[in-house]
Amino acid sequence: MVKQLEGPILPFLRLDATVALPKFRQVQDQLRMAILKGHLRAGTRLPASRILAEELGLSRQTLVRVLDNLKAEGYLEARQGAGTFVSAALPRQPAKPLSRPTRHDVADRAPPRLSRIGDLSCRMSADIGQMEDRPFLPNRPALDRFPFAVWRKCWNAVTRGGKAVAMGYGDVAGELVLRQRIAEYLALHRRDPCDPDQIVITPGGHAAFTLSALALADPGDGIWFEDPGPVTTSNLFRTLGLRLCPADVDADGMDVEAAMARYPDAHLAFVMPSRHHPLGITLSLPRRLALLEWARASDAWIIEDDYDSEFRYDGAPLPSMRSIDSDDRVIYAGSFSKALYPGIRVGFLVLPPQLVGTFRTLSGLIHRSVPVETQLALAEFIGGGHFASHLRRMRGLYAERREAFMLAGRDALAGLARIDCSESGLNALAWLEGGRQDQASHRAVLDAGLQCYPLSDYTIATPQPAALILGYAGVPADRMRPLLFRLADAIARSQGRIGRSGG
Amino acid sequence: MVKQLEGPILPFLRLDATVALPKFRQVQDQLRMAILKGHLRAGTRLPASRILAEELGLSRQTLVRVLDNLKAEGYLEARQGAGTFVSAALPRQPAKPLSRPTRHDVADRAPPRLSRIGDLSCRMSADIGQMEDRPFLPNRPALDRFPFAVWRKCWNAVTRGGKAVAMGYGDVAGELVLRQRIAEYLALHRRDPCDPDQIVITPGGHAAFTLSALALADPGDGIWFEDPGPVTTSNLFRTLGLRLCPADVDADGMDVEAAMARYPDAHLAFVMPSRHHPLGITLSLPRRLALLEWARASDAWIIEDDYDSEFRYDGAPLPSMRSIDSDDRVIYAGSFSKALYPGIRVGFLVLPPQLVGTFRTLSGLIHRSVPVETQLALAEFIGGGHFASHLRRMRGLYAERREAFMLAGRDALAGLARIDCSESGLNALAWLEGGRQDQASHRAVLDAGLQCYPLSDYTIATPQPAALILGYAGVPADRMRPLLFRLADAIARSQGRIGRSGG
């Protein structure tokens, strides 16, 4: 039954003297491939090693090493006194076409078999944050003013000596010391004390939303979502199979009464009460109370995205919804993306006590937390007072930039757009005169070397008047006027008007 | 219709001179609470500010500040010429019982309304990594030998000046430079070239599994899972609603033929071919080929957890399954938890090309990536050759520790347990003589100030013979003997035998 290889073995191999890979590695890799492809069949006896070495141009010693490696991998086997064989245990026939498909013939194939979530995500975009960093990029903090030297000092202080505590798996909910510092910060600056055990640290804000959605809603369950609103967040909920229930936004924020009438059976409400993005509206107190009452009465949950609450220019930030939530219905979500910088990728949740156990476990299972050293450095940064003083400085800086933006914007954009700087956040709106052209204006702005988002990109269901979202926090005050005139010029061109110059 | 507050306002407030909070903050917080609780009803007129200031013991100026803040928050409103009122827009009746529940009466309530995933996770444990760091803790690398000074140098090099590139949101799939370094490492050391675009960086290994499960399997879909196997991983899949299909493990690894017979319709196979945890077995080549053929024929996916492939003590690591996957069925998962240290929380996937788009988007939506500076530091660490040389050093060190463990273990545990050090990884098994007592022995080992995991904790469905999983990689060779005798003593006690001493 033993099949002796007829003729030389070399025809099955393609050794190449011009590649960098050593010859023995080429021989080893190609012998393996010849077996996998069925050129050398299971049970086939190889020629004697002396002959084989000669044929392949290897020393006998090197050949033995190659054969030993392939034996260890299970491709070859030695039979006492009889020589070396292709393992008899391998399939007789190669399973399938022989050539490995190239990485570029994907388009020719049938679409891969995915889950419902996989299918949905194919149709979504997660492109936020991929935008080029140019003037007026929305949601961009003043990165050059971040005290990176202090941040590095904190990181170096907590990693000195590589303490084992920073190297282990750490707490599934995040390091206690960071949770303590966050709780202290919230108590002092958001007037909202909580127990550090109610906090779960997540790898960024989106991970916090994912955790909440998975724990609280099944596919098909409804979630109220402000329309317009951040589409990557609505895409996340839609991808997880939730039924998106767009809720209109007026001057008082989310229209809670209308949402109650249209979607009374929703399980979740996602809301940005401190500062709606992108409209910049604060949810009014009666609406907050109505929302809390709806959640209580219908056994629903509120995810409070405390968006941009740190940056308010006309007095103290408004209290969070969580702080007036007497029925433990609010899951409070925060992140350090804008207060520090987006690349830090740290978010957190403050949970009602009855959800703490579930969220801790689920977070530990699905993603654990962020690098322990980043957590400890952040705890040091907050504990040393650097976080609070950075925020204080940025509030001053952004107020100044906002003022400069408004003043110059009114001049530059007169007749083209109405500037709308809410009293908080990092962004403004420019409501375009004369119709729904924000996509064209957006393209023109990009062509002019600037950045913005068209409001229509934030539309969930109800079309909005045309507007551009502009970030002013990253632009120095003294550059505001010329850049805004460049912006105005681009908008004018996009609307078929004559470009204007000035500044 | 205007309702004038009758009598003084103070009865509704409980000012406390002994607390640190300034009096004006107490007044402000308590006025807000009195309104929320319905003690001060919507539409009620407050006394004149002069009288109120006097009554509350505040200066007129401070009182005006309090009232202004509460107006900004929407609790109060001024009516021209008529004074200050509790906002008429607030609900007439307080929504619900007045006192905020304490954080500790959770147990008295009905269980919270959760999703199916939330419900499931309540019954799961994510406790891995919470174990105290004591000798023989499984999966523990030699943290004291990690070149932390070099790691800090890399981190400091990439963060110098806080370059904006490290501070932005970054690529949803992880920084290109890190994906390039990982691809180079895999090509060189795992003989498995891939395009950096096939790589997605995740916040740790579990996040990589979560991403794969969500993208590829719906609730109810089957997943082959080696039995015994890591229970936190099986808990993750069960929590996401997958149907766990326990596959027996024999000396050749996962019994693929039996799994095909029992669960032919599964969508996924999760497998640790390089080194099964905790049994230390390598999946044989015929089994690998059979598994690949099953996936091809049944349009299923294989998640290859390339567990501990870095640490093999008898020659080069075996090639990955991905490297012989000619039908693009394998999702390859790696992490740096054991090669570097667990606290780093960086994992990654290498994807078949037809899945890249889906995984990129889904990863961007559900958790994005890890801190950009950690990614850049890791790229620098790999690119500078520190990763490869650290692994080389650790392979030598662990081989030495493994040898010391085997030698001393045979003496110390003779008659109590059979030591089983596979040829790779960081852990050994001690198969206990005489029955299924690993839980009792485990407790005794903890009582002796040591660590281990009982094999029964890894049981998915089929009970295993009693064994303890012991980590030797974190224990210096010269401490091995006395610690193993202490271990033996604990095991002997737990089995009702006389303690032994020695070493």
Side-chain angles (χ1 to χ4, degrees):
Chain A
M1 281 303 293
V2 168
K3 198 173 151 186
Q4 170 69 53
L5 186 68
E6 286 164 21
I9 203 168
L10 261 179
F12 304 122
L13 311 186
R14 287 186 206 158
L15 302 190
D16 184 348
T18 66
V19 301
L21 210 60
K23 202 172 173 199
F24 90 90
R25 271 287 302 276
Q26 288 190 51
V27 169
Q28 182 173 316
D29 289 354
Q30 295 202 17
L31 269 176
R32 191 191 298 114
M33 202 45 74
I35 296 169
L36 284 172
K37 289 185 176 178
H39 295 155
L40 294 171
R41 295 286 178 84
T44 304
R45 178 159 61 193
L46 296 191
S49 62
R50 189 185 44 77
I51 296 170
L52 201 54
E54 205 166 283
E55 187 188 342
L56 296 171
L58 297 177
S59 75
R60 179 100 185 269
Q61 196 185 358
T62 305
L63 180 81
V64 168
R65 183 174 152 203
V66 167
L67 298 183
D68 281 350
N69 285 344
L70 291 174
K71 282 174 199 161
E73 294 176 15
Y75 290 91
L76 300 177
E77 58 190 7
R79 294 189 204 157
Q80 197 61 39
T84 300
F85 294 77
V86 178
S87 296
L90 297 180
R92 296 273 134 183
Q93 295 290 337
K96 18 131 312 57
L98 299 178
S99 66
R100 179 168 183 132
T102 67
R103 295 296 176 194
H104 300 289
D105 60 1
V106 178
D108 302 340
R109 303 203 205 169
R113 181 195 208 181
L114 302 171
S115 66
R116 197 178 130 78
I117 288 177
D119 271 333
L120 284 168
S121 65
C122 291
R123 284 176 254 151
M124 301 291 173
S125 161
D127 261 350
I128 201 164
Q130 303 293 301
M131 302 300 165
E132 239 181 284
D133 186 11
R134 293 189 288 191
F136 304 129
L137 175 67
N139 295 326
R140 186 196 186 282
L143 298 179
D144 54 319
R145 299 298 185 92
F146 179 74
F148 218 84
V150 176
W151 172 243
R152 295 170 86 227
K153 246 181 223 160
C154 291
W155 190 91
N156 278 295
V158 299
T159 60
R160 191 156 291 136
K163 297 165 193 115
V165 65
M167 298 176 76
Y169 281 97
D171 189 305
V172 286
E175 297 305 291
L176 177 60
V177 62
L178 176 57
R179 292 186 279 117
Q180 283 168 335
R181 292 299 89 74
I182 290 175
E184 286 162 15
Y185 173 79
L186 292 175
L188 199 60
H189 295 274
R190 296 298 280 127
R191 306 189 223 162
D192 188 14
C194 70
D195 191 299
D197 284 347
Q198 290 176 265
I199 296 178
V200 170
I201 309 288
T202 59
H206 260 225
F209 303 153
T210 301
L211 186 59
S212 307
L214 288 177
L216 301 175
D218 288 308
D221 286 347
I223 181 169
W224 293 3
F225 195 88
E226 288 153 316
D227 181 12
V231 172
T232 46
T233 309
S234 62
N235 279 352
L236 164 59
F237 293 129
R238 287 166 64 200
T239 299
L240 295 179
L242 273 59
R243 180 168 48 90
L244 207 67
C245 306
D248 287 342
V249 177
D250 62 22
D252 286 330
M254 178 189 266
D255 189 341
V256 174
E257 223 163 289
M260 283 172 70
R262 284 184 68 185
Y263 321 106
D265 61 337
H267 278 51
L268 288 173
F270 179 88
V271 64
M272 295 168 278
S274 285
R275 183 186 196 281
H276 176 268
H277 181 64
L279 296 183
I281 290 165
T282 302
L283 189 64
S284 75
L285 184 62
R287 292 269 176 90
R288 290 175 188 229
L289 296 172
L291 184 56
L292 288 165
E293 169 55 18
W294 166 76
R296 187 198 64 76
S298 56
D299 201 4
W301 302 102
I302 299 164
I303 302 174
E304 174 180 28
D305 182 7
D306 196 24
Y307 198 91
D308 274 355
S309 65
E310 303 88 351
F311 301 113
R312 175 161 286 275
Y313 311 116
D314 68 336
L318 291 184
S320 65
M321 283 196 59
R322 204 192 90 85
S323 69
I324 58 168
D325 167 27
S326 51
D327 202 57
D328 285 330
R329 289 281 144 196
V330 174
I331 293 104
Y332 174 101
S335 104
F336 291 93
S337 293
K338 282 180 289 293
L340 298 182
Y341 56 97
I344 195 170
R345 314 280 337 113
V346 180
F348 64 91
L349 292 172
V350 186
L351 296 160
Q354 73 275 25
L355 293 181
V356 167
T358 302
F359 274 65
R360 268 187 71 92
T361 302
L362 189 58
S363 183
L365 289 173
I366 69 170
H367 54 224
R368 306 269 165 85
S369 189
V370 290
V372 176
E373 57 203 47
T374 303
Q375 295 185 59
L376 297 181
L378 184 51
E380 180 81 10
F381 189 81
I382 300 173
H386 309 298
F387 184 55
S389 69
H390 176 59
L391 286 182
R392 204 179 323 114
R393 277 196 309 275
M394 290 308 100
R395 263 191 295 270
L397 181 75
Y398 297 163
E400 191 185 304
R401 291 179 172 186
R402 175 176 173 273
E403 196 65 25
F405 180 91
M406 282 199 296
L407 280 173
R410 269 175 212 148
D411 292 351
L413 294 166
L416 288 170
R418 185 173 56 79
I419 291 284
D420 175 4
C421 278
S422 66
E423 284 141 354
S424 61
L426 313 179
N427 307 323
L429 285 162
W431 297 97
L432 301 177
E433 306 286 348
R436 308 195 184 288
Q437 311 128 326
D438 62 8
Q439 294 289 345
S441 295
H442 173 235
R443 281 189 300 275
V445 169
L446 294 187
D447 289 344
L450 304 171
Q451 267 288 9
C452 67
Y453 298 153
L455 179 58
S456 53
D457 276 4
Y458 285 76
T459 298
I460 311 290
T462 308
Q464 300 293 318
L468 298 178
I469 302 157
L470 297 159
Y472 54 76
V475 181
D478 60 359
R479 292 189 60 209
M480 214 61 92
R481 182 165 286 269
L483 289 171
L484 278 164
F485 272 91
R486 205 205 294 176
L487 180 86
D489 202 52
I491 295 174
R493 272 175 218 282
S494 76
Q495 299 190 346
R497 305 199 201 178
I498 298 151
R500 45 176 63 195
S501 58
Chain B
M1 281 302 293
V2 169
K3 199 174 149 182
Q4 170 68 54
L5 185 70
E6 286 163 20
I9 203 167
L10 262 179
F12 303 122
L13 311 187
R14 287 187 207 158
L15 303 191
D16 184 345
T18 67
V19 301
L21 210 60
K23 202 171 173 200
F24 90 89
R25 272 287 302 278
Q26 288 191 51
V27 168
Q28 182 173 319
D29 289 354
Q30 295 202 17
L31 268 176
R32 189 191 298 112
M33 203 44 75
I35 296 168
L36 284 172
K37 289 185 177 178
H39 295 157
L40 293 172
R41 296 286 178 86
T44 304
R45 178 160 61 193
L46 297 191
S49 64
R50 189 185 45 78
I51 295 169
L52 201 53
E54 203 167 284
E55 188 188 342
L56 296 170
L58 298 178
S59 74
R60 178 100 184 268
Q61 197 185 358
T62 304
L63 179 80
V64 168
R65 182 174 154 205
V66 166
L67 297 183
D68 281 349
N69 286 343
L70 291 174
K71 282 173 199 162
E73 294 176 15
Y75 289 92
L76 299 178
E77 60 191 3
R79 293 189 203 157
Q80 196 62 38
T84 300
F85 295 75
V86 178
S87 295
L90 297 180
R92 296 273 135 182
Q93 293 291 337
K96 21 135 305 58
L98 299 178
S99 66
R100 181 171 181 129
T102 67
R103 296 295 175 194
H104 299 290
D105 59 3
V106 179
D108 302 340
R109 303 201 206 171
R113 183 195 207 179
L114 303 171
S115 67
R116 198 178 130 79
I117 288 177
D119 270 335
L120 285 167
S121 64
C122 291
R123 283 176 254 151
M124 301 292 172
S125 160
D127 261 349
I128 201 161
Q130 302 294 301
M131 302 300 164
E132 240 182 284
D133 185 11
R134 294 189 287 191
F136 302 129
L137 175 66
N139 295 326
R140 185 197 189 281
L143 298 179
D144 53 318
R145 300 299 185 93
F146 179 73
F148 218 84
V150 177
W151 172 243
R152 295 170 87 226
K153 246 181 223 161
C154 291
W155 191 91
N156 279 295
V158 298
T159 60
R160 192 155 292 137
K163 296 162 195 121
V165 65
M167 298 175 77
Y169 281 98
D171 189 304
V172 287
E175 296 305 291
L176 177 60
V177 61
L178 176 58
R179 291 186 280 115
Q180 283 168 334
R181 292 301 89 74
I182 290 175
E184 286 161 16
Y185 172 79
L186 293 174
L188 198 62
H189 295 275
R190 296 299 280 126
R191 305 187 222 162
D192 188 14
C194 70
D195 191 298
D197 284 346
Q198 291 177 263
I199 296 179
V200 170
I201 310 287
T202 60
H206 260 225
F209 303 154
T210 301
L211 186 59
S212 307
L214 288 178
L216 301 173
D218 287 308
D221 285 348
I223 181 168
W224 292 3
F225 196 89
E226 288 154 316
D227 182 11
V231 172
T232 46
T233 309
S234 62
N235 279 352
L236 164 60
F237 294 129
R238 288 166 63 201
T239 299
L240 295 179
L242 273 59
R243 180 169 47 90
L244 207 67
C245 306
D248 287 342
V249 178
D250 63 22
D252 285 330
M254 178 190 266
D255 188 341
V256 175
E257 224 163 289
M260 284 172 69
R262 284 184 69 185
Y263 322 105
D265 62 338
H267 279 51
L268 288 174
F270 179 89
V271 64
M272 295 167 280
S274 285
R275 182 185 197 280
H276 175 266
H277 181 64
L279 295 183
I281 290 164
T282 301
L283 189 64
S284 76
L285 184 62
R287 293 270 177 90
R288 289 173 188 231
L289 296 172
L291 184 55
L292 288 165
E293 170 55 17
W294 165 78
R296 188 197 64 76
S298 55
D299 201 4
W301 302 102
I302 298 164
I303 302 174
E304 174 179 27
D305 182 8
D306 196 24
Y307 198 92
D308 274 355
S309 64
E310 302 89 351
F311 302 113
R312 174 160 287 275
Y313 312 115
D314 68 336
L318 293 184
S320 64
M321 283 195 59
R322 203 192 90 85
S323 69
I324 58 168
D325 166 28
S326 51
D327 202 57
D328 285 331
R329 288 281 145 197
V330 173
I331 292 104
Y332 174 101
S335 104
F336 292 93
S337 292
K338 283 180 289 291
L340 297 181
Y341 56 96
I344 196 170
R345 314 281 336 113
V346 180
F348 64 92
L349 293 171
V350 186
L351 296 160
Q354 74 276 26
L355 293 182
V356 167
T358 302
F359 275 65
R360 268 188 72 93
T361 303
L362 189 57
S363 182
L365 289 174
I366 69 171
H367 54 224
R368 306 270 166 84
S369 189
V370 289
V372 176
E373 56 203 47
T374 303
Q375 295 184 60
L376 297 180
L378 184 51
E380 179 82 10
F381 189 80
I382 300 172
H386 308 299
F387 183 55
S389 69
H390 176 60
L391 285 181
R392 203 178 324 114
R393 277 197 309 275
M394 289 308 101
R395 263 191 294 271
L397 180 74
Y398 298 162
E400 191 185 304
R401 290 179 173 185
R402 174 176 172 274
E403 197 65 26
F405 180 91
M406 282 200 296
L407 280 174
R410 269 174 212 147
D411 293 351
L413 294 166
L416 287 169
R418 184 174 57 80
I419 291 284
D420 175 3
C421 279
S422 66
E423 283 141 354
S424 61
L426 314 178
N427 307 323
L429 285 162
W431 297 99
L432 300 177
E433 306 286 350
R436 308 196 183 287
Q437 310 130 327
D438 61 9
Q439 293 289 347
S441 295
H442 173 236
R443 281 189 299 274
V445 168
L446 294 188
D447 289 344
L450 304 171
Q451 267 288 10
C452 67
Y453 298 152
L455 179 59
S456 53
D457 275 4
Y458 286 74
T459 299
I460 311 288
T462 308
Q464 300 293 319
L468 298 178
I469 302 157
L470 297 159
Y472 53 76
V475 181
D478 60 1
R479 291 189 59 208
M480 213 62 92
R481 182 164 285 269
L483 288 171
L484 278 164
F485 271 92
R486 207 207 290 179
L487 181 85
D489 202 54
I491 295 173
R493 273 175 218 281
S494 76
Q495 300 191 346
R497 306 199 201 177
I498 297 151
R500 45 177 64 195
S501 56

